[in-house]
Amino acid sequence: MWNRRIASNMKPRMLRLLQLYRVIALIMVYIYHQSLVHEAWSRLGVCFFFVLTGFLTVYKEYDRIHAGSENDRERMESGVAGGGVRGSIGYAVRRIRRLFPLHVAMLVIACASEIYSVWGEFSSDIGLNLPMAFVKFILNLFLVSAWVPRIQLLSAINGEYNIATWFLSVCLLFYILTPLIIRIMHMVYDKCSYKTAVRKIMVVSALIYAVVIISNLVIIRTTGFEFAFWFAYESPISRVGDYLIGCQMGLLFLLADRERETSDDTGRKGMLFTVLLLCNVAVAALLYIGCRIVPADMRLVVSNGFYFTIPVTGIVISAAMADKYISSDADGNGVWRVVMWTAAISPFAYLIHVPVINVAHGIYRRIGDVNIWIWTAISVIITLVLSELYRRLIRKWVS
């Protein structure tokens, strides 16, 4: 039986390869929003974000969230106690509080930019458009916009002013559910031996994957494009599959991390995990090619979470396993320092980049012909500078 108390005294390791994949996922989404690549890059990047979020959440907080009664006061103060709805909301607030001021600032900029860009149409019926814009703004502000189904009746308030907000909106719901998810995982896995727990994790992951596939295909076949795209790509109901599978893999790695000891065959193990990593990268590359050649009527299938889930999950778990065998000397390498810095600012850059792209494009378009590479370079520099400035400010505001 796996000893939870012993495990809780062992701090999670810094997984450098996963920090690298956070950076890669950000780049994938960014270059798509700059209109430089096929939309499949964004689909793959978003899948990485959800699986990584679930993986790192469980790996880092599996025992902390479900800590013993002697830590009740600390858990209540940090918002991670299992105190029903209040405790779950407190945990979610703690997870997003560093991002929320930036979210508000980017929302105001994005909202103003959108209304300005369509002012002629907006002002022609301002008595209707202004209240609808206000409702949409409120849904965006409180991060529930992605929870609203894309149906014709709600079309005026659907969507996000800052399109990157939908990811944070979906994650907010996942964070609220996370204490419950982890309590259930403890009930299912804690009384098992290591091998039994691993088998259960694989079965549960397969069941989650099957439910996501079936629900997505049913919705795609039986509803219109707008609702089906929302359900497959943005809906928490669909995207929770990637998050939950990431959670299962986070626990799998945590168990493996506690079980294995340093041995003489570390070189062989490192090579094995590296080969598995490269195999999953190759599968993801083949699926990306498939996205580019798939018929138009199959677009929704490759837009949803399950299309890339298996190779992305394989990349994440094999990269985490291989990370142990990377020399600690890499920490002093200049390239790794850049990677770690970019990973640290990546949540801020994700929220900032779309409003910056839109504003930079709007200004640049008014002073001359748009050269996409100059536009991209300007947007990247502004995004990185603003992200670093915000990172420094938030350090002082939020402990």
Side-chain angles (χ1 to χ4, degrees):
M1 175 178 168
W2 181 53
N3 191 319
R4 176 158 55 89
R5 183 171 294 278
I6 292 175
S8 65
N9 293 327
M10 301 174 68
K11 293 183 179 180
R13 294 186 287 110
M14 171 62 72
L15 302 173
R16 288 160 292 188
L17 280 179
L18 294 193
Q19 301 306 313
L20 172 61
Y21 282 111
R22 285 177 64 189
V23 175
I24 292 173
L26 174 66
I27 293 172
M28 286 178 173
V29 175
Y30 191 97
I31 60 178
Y32 167 66
H33 287 154
Q34 287 279 14
S35 303
L36 296 174
V37 294
H38 189 270
E39 65 180 359
W41 277 82
S42 176
R43 307 295 184 256
L44 180 56
V46 167
C47 188
F48 261 118
F49 275 132
F50 281 122
V51 174
L52 271 173
T53 301
F55 183 96
L56 292 173
T57 295
V58 168
Y59 178 62
K60 292 180 178 180
E61 303 200 49
Y62 184 73
D63 296 293
R64 180 170 176 265
I65 289 177
H66 200 70
S69 59
E70 66 272 17
N71 295 323
D72 277 349
R73 178 177 299 178
E74 178 185 345
R75 289 185 296 125
M76 286 298 293
E77 290 174 353
S78 63
V80 299
V85 175
R86 184 178 178 182
S88 296
I89 292 175
Y91 172 76
V93 169
R94 183 178 69 84
R95 288 294 299 265
I96 69 167
R97 63 179 177 173
R98 294 176 72 244
L99 286 172
F100 195 77
L102 180 62
H103 156 62
V104 175
M106 292 300 105
L107 172 59
V108 170
I109 293 171
C111 179
S113 299
E114 180 172 318
I115 291 175
Y116 175 76
S117 67
V118 295
W119 179 249
E121 179 184 347
F122 186 88
S123 60
S124 65
D125 192 3
I126 198 167
L128 176 62
N129 291 331
L130 187 60
M132 291 299 99
F134 178 75
V135 172
K136 182 176 176 179
F137 183 90
I138 295 300
L139 293 174
N140 278 240
L141 178 64
F142 290 103
L143 295 172
V144 294
S145 54
W147 309 3
V148 180
R150 295 288 182 92
I151 57 177
Q152 185 62 36
L153 180 64
L154 302 174
S155 60
I157 59 172
N158 277 144
E160 289 76 32
Y161 287 112
N162 176 9
I163 59 175
T165 302
W166 79 267
F167 178 84
L168 192 57
S169 174
V170 172
C171 282
L172 175 63
L173 182 58
F174 295 169
Y175 294 152
I176 292 172
L177 295 174
T178 292
L180 174 62
I181 291 169
I182 288 183
R183 286 199 297 274
I184 293 172
M185 291 175 72
H186 273 276
M187 289 189 292
V188 172
Y189 301 120
D190 275 9
K191 294 182 180 180
C192 303
S193 66
Y194 171 68
K195 290 184 178 180
T196 301
V198 170
R199 286 195 293 268
K200 281 189 175 183
I201 287 170
M202 301 309 294
V203 170
V204 169
S205 298
L207 290 174
I208 293 168
Y209 188 61
V211 169
V212 172
I213 291 176
I214 293 170
S215 62
N216 272 262
L217 293 179
V218 168
I219 293 296
I220 288 170
R221 290 290 185 182
T222 59
T223 64
F225 178 87
E226 193 72 15
F227 181 87
F229 181 83
W230 165 79
F231 183 89
Y233 188 64
E234 294 186 7
S235 165
I237 302 171
S238 174
R239 284 298 181 174
V240 74
D242 283 338
Y243 182 76
L244 289 175
I245 290 174
C247 290
Q248 304 303 308
M249 294 303 105
L251 179 58
L252 177 64
F253 179 70
L254 180 63
L255 294 176
D257 214 25
R258 307 313 185 201
E259 284 288 316
R260 64 174 180 256
E261 299 289 341
T262 302
S263 59
D264 294 334
D265 63 344
T266 54
R268 283 189 297 168
K269 286 184 178 180
M271 181 62 70
L272 172 63
F273 294 132
T274 301
V275 170
L276 291 174
L277 173 61
L278 293 176
C279 288
N280 282 287
V281 169
V283 172
L286 290 173
L287 288 177
Y288 169 76
I289 294 171
C291 279
R292 297 183 63 91
I293 62 177
V294 72
D297 61 352
M298 291 290 289
R299 178 188 168 197
L300 284 174
V301 173
V302 300
S303 291
N304 60 58
F306 75 78
Y307 186 76
F308 285 113
T309 299
I310 289 180
V312 166
T313 301
I315 289 170
V316 169
I317 190 68
S318 54
M321 294 290 189
D323 188 86
K324 181 178 181 180
Y325 307 104
I326 296 176
S327 171
S328 59
D329 294 339
D331 291 337
N333 185 285
V335 173
W336 274 114
R337 286 200 295 267
V338 172
V339 168
M340 296 301 288
W341 172 76
T342 310
I345 67 167
S346 62
F348 313 133
Y350 184 81
L351 281 178
I352 289 172
H353 80 280
V354 174
V356 167
I357 289 171
N358 291 339
V359 172
H361 181 227
I363 294 173
Y364 191 57
R365 186 172 54 187
R366 283 165 173 74
I367 62 176
D369 293 333
V370 175
N371 181 299
I372 193 168
W373 297 107
I374 296 177
W375 167 32
T376 299
I378 292 171
S379 301
V380 167
I381 292 170
I382 295 173
T383 298
L384 293 177
V385 169
L386 290 178
S387 299
E388 175 60 17
L389 289 174
Y390 183 78
R391 184 172 77 103
R392 295 186 181 193
L393 286 172
I394 205 66
R395 271 183 187 167
K396 300 177 181 179
W397 295 341
V398 180
S399 58

